[in-house]
Amino acid sequence: MNREFYHEPVLKNEVTELLVTRTGGVYVDCTLGGGGHFRAVAEKLDSSATVIGIDRDQDAIAWNKSHMPAPGPSMIFELERFSQFDKVLQKHQINSVDGFLLDLGLSSFQIDNVERGFSYMQDSSLDMRMSVSDEATASDLLEETGEEELADLLSRYGEIKNPLRMAEAIKSCVPLRTSSDLRKCLSREYGPNLDVKIIARVFQSLRIAVNDELGELRRFLDKAISFLSKGGRLAVIAYHSLEDRMVKEFIREQEQSCICPPGLPVCRCSKSTMLKRVTKGAVKASQEEIGSNPRSRSARLRVAEKVGVAGE
Ligand SMILES: C[S@@+](CC[C@H](N)C(=O)[O-])C[C@H]1O[C@@H](n2cnc3c(N)ncnc32)[C@H](O)[C@@H]1O
């Protein structure tokens, strides 16, 4: 294994145990990354199964294509955003899926590769695109976004207090080309001892905005259920509360049957229960896993199973 590309899969055993229910099924790893979960899922499947790996990062697809062992299930790799997974299924004439996996966020390769610009600890270009073919970098976003919009995204994605003050400070410094330009700009406004946790939240909010991460998750969830076979499962690992909350609320909504206002004599919404929770709360990494892989500390895994078919 090329250590440079290696990503230690988080909650690997929990994911494979909870996700794979049919050894001859079709599974889609929507966030292929270093292929750790993909391999673990593939190892549980037989040769009649298909496992599809999707990533928006060209490096992830190229590396996995040239490093996957051949025997086992059929393996497909596609460069695509996971919100567009239906295009991949259509291309391969697959109508239904037995399991979707999303392990959100960044791979170790992306974080550790200074050129990709995700690091706030090292000096790097202010890039942060998961796909280098996307147009706008974080530096572009800071230039093109107005003060109020910037304040809004700092508040929503980074929970920054008094975001307008920060947005004004940042806008007074643009153009900002590198992570140290941004850090210096923040120090000018807040002094040199600005808490590193706040700096991390500023970088997180830019990364979420550059990659439209919440929009991607929303669009994926809205489509995923209709492609799941009955008994098929959806497993999502989230690393921050915004994503985890979206997944939790989505599963809760899909667990409900009728959503008509109370008191109506007959149901008018025709909604039926589509999912049932497989994990009661979120599954977290053990202390042992956190000790050996600190990136697992904030991981929250939620798994749900499709029980209904629309209109049933
Ligand atoms: C945490 S890593 C996945 C690691 C992987 N599970 C493993 O075991 O190696 C997340 C990966 O998802 C990809 N990704 C994030 N958002 C995406 C999206 N909307 N569409 C496609 N890929 C995405 C990133 O490029 C990154 O490679």
Side-chain angles (χ1 to χ4, degrees):
M1 172 76 59
N2 175 346
R3 296 301 302 177
E4 251 180 54
F5 212 90
Y6 191 66
H7 175 97
E8 186 68 39
V10 170
L11 294 167
K12 181 173 84 174
N13 295 335
E14 292 84 347
V15 164
T16 49
E17 268 163 37
L18 294 168
L19 180 70
V20 179
T21 53
R22 283 188 55 218
T23 55
V26 176
Y27 288 86
V28 185
D29 180 348
C30 292
T31 50
L32 180 64
H37 285 118
F38 183 99
R39 280 168 184 268
V41 168
E43 277 165 17
K44 290 204 87 176
L45 303 177
D46 63 40
S47 56
S48 67
T50 302
V51 55
I52 303 173
I54 296 176
D55 206 293
R56 71 197 293 184
D57 185 329
Q58 291 80 347
D59 290 340
I61 295 297
W63 189 84
N64 281 288
K65 270 188 176 170
S66 58
H67 286 81
M68 277 296 153
S74 306
M75 295 182 187
I76 294 169
F77 299 99
E78 291 287 352
L79 179 65
E80 190 53 89
R81 285 176 290 140
F82 59 61
S83 63
Q84 306 302 308
F85 74 85
D86 46 331
K87 287 191 192 155
V88 172
L89 298 183
Q90 200 176 19
K91 176 173 166 191
H92 295 280
Q93 296 169 350
I94 293 171
N95 301 321
S96 71
V97 167
D98 297 291
F100 283 110
L101 169 65
L102 271 78
D103 176 23
L104 297 165
L106 298 173
S107 67
S108 301
F109 169 77
Q110 290 166 325
I111 297 169
D112 298 340
N113 186 341
V114 178
E115 283 165 28
R116 301 297 296 270
F118 290 106
S119 171
Y120 57 91
M121 303 300 280
Q122 291 161 291
D123 192 22
S124 61
S125 72
L126 214 44
D127 188 323
M128 301 196 196
R129 290 168 302 164
M130 288 183 190
S131 165
V132 290
S133 59
D134 285 350
E135 275 180 17
T137 63
S139 171
D140 299 330
L141 180 120
L142 291 177
E143 262 182 83
E144 287 158 18
T145 307
E147 228 163 71
E148 283 185 12
E149 201 186 331
L150 182 57
D152 181 53
L153 67 88
L154 288 168
S155 160
R156 277 194 296 138
Y157 303 158
E159 293 170 55
I160 299 292
K161 303 218 168 66
N162 198 350
L164 205 51
R165 175 181 171 199
M166 187 176 281
E168 274 170 17
I170 292 176
K171 287 301 284 183
S172 73
C173 298
V174 294
L176 292 164
R177 301 283 179 234
T178 65
S179 53
S180 68
D181 288 348
L182 178 54
R183 288 185 72 142
K184 278 185 210 145
C185 173
L186 294 171
S187 307
R188 236 175 49 188
E189 176 70 16
Y190 297 96
N193 298 325
L194 180 61
D195 188 348
V196 73
K197 286 190 190 138
I198 296 185
I199 299 176
R201 293 216 303 266
V202 174
F203 276 71
Q204 170 182 292
S205 54
L206 294 180
R207 193 199 90 197
I208 292 175
V210 165
N211 297 293
D212 185 21
E213 292 179 32
L214 295 174
E216 275 291 300
L217 180 57
R218 179 80 267 158
R219 290 188 288 276
F220 168 82
L221 291 173
D222 286 344
K223 282 194 264 195
I225 294 187
S226 57
F227 287 87
L228 266 185
S229 55
K230 205 164 176 175
R233 291 186 172 187
L234 168 68
V236 184
I237 307 177
Y239 295 85
H240 59 76
S241 56
L242 296 169
E243 287 174 336
D244 186 46
R245 201 177 309 136
M246 192 187 287
V247 174
K248 184 174 152 186
E249 282 170 7
F250 175 77
I251 294 174
R252 197 183 291 151
E253 277 163 26
Q254 300 301 328
E255 276 184 325
Q256 288 177 14
S257 48
C258 173
I259 51 166
C260 289
L264 275 194
V266 284
C267 169
R268 290 185 189 278
C269 69
S270 315
K271 186 174 178 327
S272 49
T273 300
M274 299 302 289
L275 290 179
K276 80 162 189 247
R277 262 174 283 181
V278 174
T279 50
K280 290 301 168 217
V283 178
K284 298 177 190 167
S286 64
Q287 283 309 317
E288 195 188 345
E289 180 171 359
I290 294 171
S292 64
N293 181 11
R295 282 174 188 163
S296 64
R297 182 183 302 278
S298 52
R300 301 285 178 271
L301 166 68
R302 294 183 191 272
V303 183
E305 179 172 310
K306 180 156 170 183
V307 289
V309 174
E312 249 182 16

